[in-house]
Amino acid sequence: MEQAERHITGRDCNYGVYYLLALNLFEKAILVMPNMETENSNISRAEELKVLANEAFKARKYGQAIDLYTQAIELNTENAVYWANRAFAHTKLEEYGSAIQDASKAGYYRRGAAYLAMGKFKEALKDFQQVKKLCPNDPDAARKVKECEKAVKKLKFEEAIAVPESERQSIADSIDFHSIGMSPSSSSVPIQAVIVAVTAAIVAVVVIVGLAIATTITGIVVAVLMVLGVYWWGGCGGSGVFTKGRKLELEVEPQYSGARIEGDVITLDFVMKMVDDFKKQKCLHKRYAFQIVLQTREMLRALPSLVDINIPDDNHFTVCGDIHGQFYDLLNIFELNGLPSEENPYLFNGDFVDRGSFSLEVILTLFAFKCMSPSGKPFLILVFLVFSLSFLCRSIYLARGNHESKSMNKIYGFEGEVRSKLNETFVELFAEVFCCLPLAHVLNEKVFVVHGGLFSVDGVKLSDIRAIDRFFEPPEEGLMCELLWSDPQPLPGRGPSKRGVGLSFGADVTKRFLQDNNLDLVVRSHEVKDEGYEIEHDGKLITVFSAPNYCDQMGNKGAFIRFEAPDLKPNIITFSAVPHPDVKPMAYANNFLRLFS
């Protein structure tokens, strides 16, 4: 009986243990089930957000797409598609630093694409080689590897033949546009007539003085002609320009019917004729293009890196943001706000070129207004010619943007456009002139205007900016780089740049910079905005962007700012895009970008 009781008790004890174990497992299951349900719910919601993000991307609302992809990633960090899609959206907004960060989590393909957009061909090649290794039969991967290899080889070749900076000669200093038309091909005495005349003279000498003496005289004449010929024809390289010591065939043909500059003075009549020709997609003769660019260079070289602008009381001043080769939208700005003049001055705040396929027309128009004499009166023209290298040209001011650089122009279209519409010499010339553009402006000691943004360190004074040696290609760090590339951020402090160059800076950084320099406002450009502008940092920073429907796909408005002296209260005017001829943006861009379009 006792054994039975012990047996029963033991069995009951075992049952008790099993019961407790079962109860514990059941409780854990109850706790796990909601987590599983939550996880499944998160995955489903993340997919819904991805679908919404994809729709926003298709509608070219890239900022909205990035926000939606971000929400999807927060719900499901393991899905590489979300990272890849967000990386692609970042590239559309030129936020290449953020794109590389996302693409590093998504795979080699997207990161390679981001590196390409930044012109980092060696890094891009490594990523696409990995793509090809993973997908050896993928023709797309093979094509991209081939293009990257070509780019890297070209870079190595250019590095091998590059002349050291200290030994590099100025292309602008070698060009004398005044001498164009004095080359042998445009001489008033044809070369055939010269040959006939020399032959006749030799025959006459033979008849008059006899063969022996004539032979000696003829030898001397031939020797002299050979020396003169070498001097006259030396350096004829076919580059399309007559330079000091070189003939560059640029005589203005009689049949040329476009705008002409009479003498050294660029007048409003010439500029308007040139603009009208550009509207009809006609070209300006190279001889006059050289004159415009070279005269602009002389003016820009005389300016400091930071230009102070004085706006008299009761006068106004207009600041425009990025134009990016959208020539017809530039003309619309002039239609809405008037042509540049001393009574209606403008500051164009960088990024005149690239992406838009009328960049040459934009830059020549802005440069021509920069060079334009104040009127057609002889006395004023004389004054203008004497003082034009100083600060008397107050109708238009130009600042450098990050796209006024070789690396950007090579990828985003300006270099290809100039080569197509003019020639290789102009490619070098524009690169040199862009290095002369000032980096920033200050309006009435109150408003700081710069293309990009502020700095990685506090305590930068306006005197530090004035002291920058700007006459070279932008570096990848330092004050000059940050002026051209940095962006504001909503958070305080500083953060990494979403572009991969420069930095992001908060409202506290802006406030300290303004206080340190006794300024009221920062105006910058550099970023597309849906309304053409955005006011940030407690009203102390304004972004203005003047290229509406950027690249024919963003759907944004353009804007410009009118300041009225003395209070300089900003009056922001927005406008929409206007039609343009059927030439797509990026028509002259590097082949790499077309691979991803």
Side-chain angles (χ1 to χ4, degrees):
M1 187 71 176
E2 290 178 1
Q3 289 179 349
E5 286 179 358
R6 285 197 297 271
H7 178 72
I8 293 171
T9 305
R11 185 178 62 186
D12 288 345
C13 285
N14 288 338
Y15 283 149
V17 172
Y18 295 150
Y19 172 78
L20 290 174
L21 288 173
L23 182 63
N24 188 35
L25 290 172
F26 180 71
E27 289 175 348
K28 287 184 177 179
I30 291 174
L31 292 173
V32 169
M33 285 176 64
N35 290 338
M36 292 177 61
E37 290 176 3
T38 301
E39 185 175 338
N40 291 334
S41 175
N42 286 347
I43 292 174
S44 298
R45 178 57 182 157
E47 281 298 301
E48 292 173 4
L49 288 166
K50 185 196 78 172
V51 171
L52 294 174
N54 290 348
E55 291 174 357
F57 188 95
K58 290 176 183 176
R60 297 168 180 168
K61 298 178 179 179
Y62 302 116
Q64 182 181 341
I66 288 171
D67 291 339
L68 290 167
Y69 287 131
T70 300
Q71 294 177 45
I73 289 169
E74 289 171 352
L75 294 172
N76 183 8
T77 60
E78 302 301 318
N79 193 325
V81 172
Y82 304 160
W83 297 98
N85 288 0
R86 193 171 72 172
F88 197 23
H90 278 304
T91 63
K92 290 293 186 178
L93 293 180
E94 302 180 23
E95 298 170 354
Y96 302 121
S98 297
I100 288 172
Q101 289 178 356
D102 281 356
S104 297
K105 299 175 183 178
Y108 298 109
Y109 187 91
R110 288 289 184 226
R111 189 173 66 185
Y115 277 133
L116 274 182
M118 294 181 70
K120 296 186 175 182
F121 302 120
K122 294 177 182 177
E123 292 87 346
L125 177 59
K126 293 176 183 177
D127 277 342
F128 286 122
Q129 285 173 336
Q130 288 295 328
V131 174
K132 187 178 178 183
K133 187 181 295 184
L134 295 170
C135 308
N137 298 321
D138 185 350
D140 181 64
R143 185 167 67 252
K144 287 176 172 58
V145 168
K146 184 177 179 181
E147 289 293 333
C148 285
E149 287 174 341
K150 284 166 57 178
V152 170
K153 287 179 181 178
K154 184 178 179 183
L155 278 176
K156 290 180 178 178
F157 176 74
E158 289 173 350
E159 290 170 0
I161 65 171
V163 178
E165 193 70 34
S166 58
E167 301 176 16
R168 194 168 298 166
Q169 294 184 339
S170 165
I171 184 71
D173 288 342
S174 72
I175 299 170
D176 181 10
F177 69 85
H178 294 94
S179 301
I180 296 171
M182 294 174 61
S183 62
S185 60
S186 61
S187 171
S188 58
V189 182
I191 191 66
Q192 293 90 342
V194 174
I195 294 172
V196 170
V198 172
T199 304
I202 292 174
V203 171
V205 169
V206 170
V207 171
I208 293 171
V209 301
L211 183 60
I213 299 176
T215 301
T216 303
I217 295 175
T218 300
I220 294 171
V221 170
V222 170
V224 171
L225 286 174
M226 288 177 66
V227 171
L228 290 175
V230 169
Y231 174 78
W232 186 262
W233 292 99
C236 182
S239 60
V241 146
F242 181 64
T243 65
K244 298 166 186 174
R246 298 187 356 177
K247 179 191 81 75
L248 305 169
E249 297 174 357
L250 273 186
E251 67 276 7
V252 181
E253 302 84 358
Q255 65 270 27
Y256 173 71
S257 60
R260 293 173 180 261
I261 302 172
E262 301 299 332
D264 286 336
V265 181
I266 295 173
T267 63
L268 178 60
D269 288 341
F270 163 78
V271 176
M272 297 315 296
K273 167 63 174 168
M274 179 186 72
V275 166
D276 189 57
D277 288 345
F278 286 163
K279 287 165 65 176
K280 299 171 184 175
Q281 294 186 269
K282 295 181 179 179
C283 294
L284 179 68
H285 197 281
K286 294 182 182 67
R287 186 251 182 264
Y288 304 122
F290 271 118
Q291 181 168 346
I292 290 169
V293 178
L294 291 169
Q295 287 187 356
T296 301
R297 173 179 176 265
E298 292 307 306
M299 288 184 172
L300 296 176
R301 287 176 70 193
L303 297 173
S305 292
L306 174 66
V307 177
D308 291 289
I309 299 173
N310 178 53
I311 308 166
D313 287 356
D314 301 320
N315 285 32
H316 66 269
F317 190 90
T318 302
V319 176
C320 295
D322 303 37
I323 300 296
H324 274 302
Q326 297 185 196
F327 174 68
Y328 296 85
D329 292 309
L330 171 66
L331 298 187
N332 188 40
I333 292 174
F334 294 152
E335 184 73 23
L336 296 170
N337 196 56
L339 292 173
S341 67
E342 292 203 5
E343 296 74 32
N344 188 37
Y346 284 80
L347 164 57
F348 285 87
N349 198 28
D351 279 14
F352 321 119
V353 301
D354 279 340
R355 295 196 176 271
S357 295
F358 301 95
S359 292
L360 180 63
E361 288 81 356
V362 167
I363 197 65
L364 286 177
T365 298
L366 294 178
F367 278 8
F369 274 117
K370 181 71 179 173
C371 297
M372 190 178 70
S373 73
S375 78
K377 296 179 181 179
F379 174 74
L380 289 178
I381 288 176
L382 179 61
V383 172
F384 176 78
L385 288 174
V386 173
F387 294 105
S388 63
L389 298 186
S390 66
F391 303 102
L392 282 183
C393 184
R394 295 195 178 100
S395 62
I396 194 167
Y397 297 83
L398 304 172
R400 191 173 194 175
N402 63 302
H403 275 266
E404 277 70 57
S405 66
K406 285 182 181 179
S407 58
M408 293 290 103
N409 297 161
K410 190 180 294 292
I411 299 172
Y412 291 100
F414 184 61
E415 183 177 300
E417 183 180 344
V418 171
R419 192 175 285 115
S420 173
K421 294 178 180 178
L422 292 172
N423 58 30
E424 186 68 35
T425 302
F426 275 97
V427 172
E428 298 177 49
L429 181 59
F430 275 116
E432 190 172 303
V433 175
F434 286 164
C435 291
C436 300
L437 288 163
L439 302 177
H441 295 74
V442 174
L443 312 183
N444 284 11
E445 301 181 343
K446 291 183 178 181
V447 181
F448 180 71
V449 188
V450 66
H451 179 73
L454 301 182
F455 312 101
S456 56
V457 295
D458 288 331
V460 175
K461 298 296 182 68
L462 296 182
S463 58
D464 297 321
I465 301 171
R466 286 192 187 93
I468 294 174
D469 177 9
R470 70 183 189 275
F471 296 98
F472 53 84
E473 288 300 309
E476 292 193 4
E477 59 183 10
L479 296 185
M480 181 174 173
C481 168
E482 291 161 0
L483 285 165
L484 300 180
W485 280 95
S486 293
D487 295 291
Q489 65 179 20
L491 298 175
R494 295 178 173 89
S497 170
K498 58 192 175 185
R499 301 173 188 270
V501 188
L503 72 146
S504 298
F505 59 95
D508 55 330
V509 176
T510 299
K511 182 179 179 180
R512 286 195 296 271
F513 173 78
L514 293 175
Q515 289 176 342
D516 289 346
N517 291 283
N518 197 27
L519 297 165
D520 296 337
L521 179 69
V522 172
V523 173
R524 43 91 62 180
S525 304
H526 195 39
E527 284 184 284
V528 61
K529 298 295 180 182
D530 287 342
E531 294 301 315
Y533 74 98
E534 186 172 359
I535 301 174
E536 303 172 79
H537 292 183
D538 303 319
K540 295 297 185 181
L541 184 145
I542 302 176
T543 296
V544 59
F545 192 84
S546 303
N549 194 25
Y550 183 41
C551 292
D552 284 358
Q553 63 177 352
M554 298 299 289
N556 61 290
K557 292 181 180 178
F560 54 85
I561 308 175
R562 278 173 65 106
F563 291 95
E564 304 284 341
D567 62 350
L568 294 191
K569 181 180 178 181
N571 178 26
I572 302 173
I573 295 94
T574 64
F575 58 96
S576 299
V578 297
H580 63 76
D582 188 21
V583 182
K584 302 299 182 186
M586 309 287 279
Y588 302 95
N590 194 293
N591 286 334
F592 295 117
L593 296 186
R594 296 198 198 100
L595 291 175
F596 297 94
S597 61

